[in-house]
């Protein structure tokens, strides 16, 4: 994997919702909005209800409405665990 890409996984308690390569991830945490790019420092964030936006490796933007959860970043891997809900 290139150093300019992130490996992202979005999971709910029931299943893996989405996984793949991305160039960026943005989300809202209890500390405010956050943007994740390649080589981001390690991070554990608490998500608040809102949209998690992922710009995939092929340039598409994928959005998930999350009811809260956690975001973990380490060594160009982003794991998002939360309850997804419909628009």
């Amino acid at each position: 994997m290139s150093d300019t890409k992130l490996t992202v996984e979005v999971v709910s308690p029931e299943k893996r919702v989405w996984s793949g390569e991305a160039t960026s991830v943005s989300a809202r945490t209890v500390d405010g909005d956050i943007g994740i790019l390649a080589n981001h420092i390690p991070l554990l964030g608490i998500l608040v209800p809102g949209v998690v936006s992922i710009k995939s490796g092929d340039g598409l933007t994928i959005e998930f409405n999350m009811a809260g959860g956690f975001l973990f970043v380490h060594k160009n891997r982003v794991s998002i665990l939360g309850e997804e809900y419909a628009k």
Side-chain angles (χ1 to χ4, degrees), residues 5-6 12 15 17 24 27 33 37-38 43 46 51 71 75:
K5 300 286 183 183
L6 299 165
S12 73
K15 64 181 180 177
V17 178
S24 68
D33 292 341
L37 299 173
L43 171 79
I46 300 170
V51 174
L71 176 133
K75 294 186 179 178

Side-chain angles (χ1 to χ4, degrees), residues 25-29 33-34 47-54 61-68 85 87:
V25 176
S26 62
R28 180 160 288 175
T29 71
D33 292 341
I34 186 165
L47 298 174
V48 297
V51 174
V52 171
S53 180
I54 300 168
T61 300
I62 303 153
E63 294 185 335
F64 299 95
N65 286 312
M66 305 296 283
Y85 63 94
K87 290 183 180 181

Side-chain angles (χ1 to χ4, degrees), residues 6-7 23 32 55-56 63 68 78 84-85:
L6 299 165
T7 299
T23 57
K55 186 168 183 184
S56 69
E63 294 185 335
V78 180
E84 181 186 21
Y85 63 94

